[in-house]
Amino acid sequence: MTETLGTATETDNSEHRRWISRGDLVSLLAASALLSAAVIAPMLGDPEWRINIFVLAPPLFGEYGPHFGFGTAAAVLIALAVIAYGPTLAVRMSWRLVVFTSMVTCLAWTFSLAMIDGWDRGFAGRLIRPDEYLAEVPGVSSIPAMLDEFSGRILDFQPDSWTTHVSGHPPGSLLTFVLLDRVGLSGGAWAASWVVLIGCSAAGALLITTARLSDEATARRIAPFVALTPGAVWMGVSADGYYMGVAAWGIALLAIAATTTGKRAVIAGVGSGLVLGFAIFLNYGLVLMGVVALAVLVIARTYRPVLCAVPAALAVVGIFAAFGFWWLDGYHLVVERYYQGIATRRPFSYWGWANFASALCAVGPAAAVGLGRALRPGRIRGREAVVLLSLAGLLAMIIADVSALSKAEVERIWLPFSVWLLVATALLPRPSQRFWLVGQAITALLINHLVWTYW
């Protein structure tokens, strides 16, 4: 284990004993006000403006409809178990078991939430809709031909235009589901299982990254929160959960490379480059993971991993280019495709700030309060690992927002960035952990039972 580079435990003892400080209340009230405004504003706006927002349960993409399902009881029981035992077990179990248990718990939590909507609507049927990836899989007879013609089919209003989701992402996404089909894992259930497994593994990546850049004690404090994340509502099942998992492991490998030496550092550095390089071929927006990667290097005070990671990432770019897909061409065409659809009507005057209310639903009140603690000037100057990592995730979200290419649906689209806000929960006082875990659980359960989410 490397030298601790700043831990969340170095807080004022008097504040540490308190469950909630005045600053925490301010953060909680600000988050509540933002979410309330995002819900109420469409009700008060001009009728045409409300229609152009193009969501039925603002700020979430879905529609209101109270419901229960097979997963209700399981989700409640898992939440109660994590609240009751999570903080204690995270301290007492071995480190490897903490990482493994966090991923398994996240998996169970995500699947149980999906089952509230039912097997078909909540899980197996999510990725087989006409606008999703699996709709295009049967038409891919040759992978090289698909990559070569990919850019030519991005724009809309053509006879052979890709479906909405395929056209809106680089070919790595479609390639993933084609390969699953080729090895015999065909259909919506297998595709959903892949997405959920990779997405929930991000819990382990966050713990490893935090432990590497700070210490295991700090990482153990965030374990219950990454396991019980409200983002699980969209991790099961949105392909963005898969993107989140891939990107998170790319960052974890970078953290390993930055905090070790020799052959292991080289292997981790190359691995990080390959994984993050592939990530930008899953989602154009994942170039913004460079913000989180930069935070890792700043925390570790080294640039060495770049020497291995950048050439590896460029190799991935070169491979796709050799098969006919140039990333920049695809990106420019996607921007054009974006404004061929409802993006031209969705008002930035609303989504420019309501996006953050959507993202708040995916991270929960605990992350909002933890982020409020991270934003205190003294902590930023101290360059604590959890502070810089969470602020890097926030900065990536801000850049994505001002690009105006993320108007709505960011509760899923921003998962690769917003998940890093969860590391700020390490800043919450230990006595308050169960209190905030209750808030996280209630957030997810209310959303999943009151809103029929589309993703």
Side-chain angles (χ1 to χ4, degrees):
M1 181 56 59
T2 59
E3 179 184 358
T4 298
L5 300 171
T7 73
T9 57
E10 295 171 358
T11 57
D12 180 74
N13 289 333
S14 61
E15 180 180 294
H16 187 71
R17 288 193 297 267
R18 293 157 57 186
W19 278 34
I20 187 168
S21 68
R22 183 179 301 175
D24 294 339
L25 284 173
V26 171
S27 298
L28 187 60
L29 289 173
S32 300
L34 175 64
L35 184 57
S36 298
V39 173
I40 295 171
M43 301 178 187
L44 305 178
D46 177 83
E48 184 177 353
W49 186 76
R50 290 201 302 269
I51 293 172
N52 288 340
I53 288 173
F54 204 77
V55 292
L56 298 177
L60 300 177
F61 193 63
E63 57 183 306
Y64 292 116
H67 60 283
F68 298 89
F70 294 112
T72 296
V76 171
L77 289 174
I78 290 169
L80 290 174
V82 174
I83 293 165
Y85 303 108
T88 301
L89 291 177
V91 173
R92 294 181 178 177
M93 291 192 301
S94 69
W95 169 242
R96 290 185 178 181
L97 193 55
V98 169
V99 174
F100 177 76
T101 303
S102 296
M103 293 190 290
V104 171
T105 303
C106 184
L107 179 63
W109 171 239
T110 300
F111 185 73
S112 66
L113 290 173
M115 287 300 99
I116 292 172
D117 292 352
W119 172 257
D120 287 326
R121 196 186 194 286
F123 192 76
R126 290 278 186 172
L127 296 172
I128 63 174
R129 294 191 303 251
D131 58 350
E132 280 282 5
Y133 301 97
L134 267 63
E136 296 284 10
V137 169
V140 179
S141 57
S142 167
I143 290 175
M146 179 271 286
L147 293 173
D148 186 54
E149 68 181 12
F150 195 88
S151 294
R153 298 176 60 181
I154 290 175
L155 294 181
D156 206 354
F157 311 120
Q158 304 177 92
D160 62 346
S161 294
W162 295 116
T163 60
T164 302
H165 277 265
V166 174
S167 67
H169 295 81
S173 301
L174 178 58
L175 177 62
T176 297
F177 296 109
V178 169
L179 291 175
L180 284 175
D181 181 74
R182 294 287 197 272
V183 299
L185 304 180
S186 305
W190 282 115
S193 298
W194 172 265
V195 167
V196 172
L197 281 170
I198 303 300
C200 292
S201 75
L206 262 67
L207 294 180
I208 291 170
T209 302
T210 304
R212 278 280 165 179
L213 299 176
S214 182
D215 54 28
E216 284 186 10
T218 302
R220 288 172 184 271
R221 293 179 63 157
I222 72 171
F225 293 96
V226 298
L228 203 66
T229 172
V233 172
W234 297 277
M235 289 159 57
V237 179
S238 160
D240 295 271
Y242 164 44
Y243 310 153
M244 176 189 72
V246 172
W249 281 108
I251 295 298
L253 286 169
L254 185 66
I256 293 172
T259 54
T260 191
T261 57
K263 184 178 179 179
R264 189 177 185 185
V266 172
I267 294 173
V270 171
S272 175
L274 292 175
V275 173
L276 292 175
F278 181 65
I280 68 170
F281 287 91
L282 294 174
N283 185 329
Y284 294 103
L286 289 186
V287 293
L288 294 179
M289 288 306 298
V291 178
V292 183
L294 180 60
V296 170
L297 300 179
V298 170
I299 295 165
R301 293 179 170 87
T302 181
Y303 65 87
R304 284 184 294 102
V306 172
L307 302 177
C308 297
V310 169
L314 291 176
V316 177
V317 175
I319 291 171
F320 275 93
F323 280 95
F325 179 79
W326 182 239
W327 190 93
L328 287 173
D329 289 343
Y331 171 76
H332 290 302
L333 288 167
V334 159
V335 172
E336 187 175 345
R337 168 76 183 242
Y338 184 71
Y339 286 103
Q340 287 181 309
I342 59 174
T344 57
R345 298 171 56 193
R346 276 177 167 162
F348 189 74
S349 59
Y350 174 75
W351 289 113
W353 57 271
N355 275 342
F356 293 97
S358 304
L360 178 63
C361 293
V363 298
V369 172
L371 186 62
R373 287 179 170 245
L375 286 168
R376 295 177 186 178
R379 289 193 181 276
I380 296 175
R381 287 194 299 269
R383 299 206 297 185
E384 294 182 43
V386 294
V387 171
L388 294 189
L389 286 172
S390 59
L391 293 184
L394 177 62
L395 179 57
M397 292 162 60
I398 292 172
I399 296 172
D401 185 68
V402 299
S403 75
L405 295 175
S406 297
K407 290 188 289 186
E409 307 176 45
V410 300
E411 60 269 19
R412 64 169 181 88
I413 296 171
W414 286 358
L415 280 174
F417 315 132
S418 64
V419 71
W420 292 97
L421 272 60
L422 292 174
V423 301
T425 58
L427 302 173
L428 300 173
R430 284 191 185 278
S432 71
Q433 284 185 316
R434 289 186 174 86
F435 173 79
W436 292 115
L437 284 169
V438 169
Q440 299 293 88
I442 289 175
T443 298
L445 291 170
L446 282 178
I447 291 172
N448 223 139
H449 284 93
L450 296 179
V451 178
W452 289 103
T453 56
Y454 192 68
W455 311 112

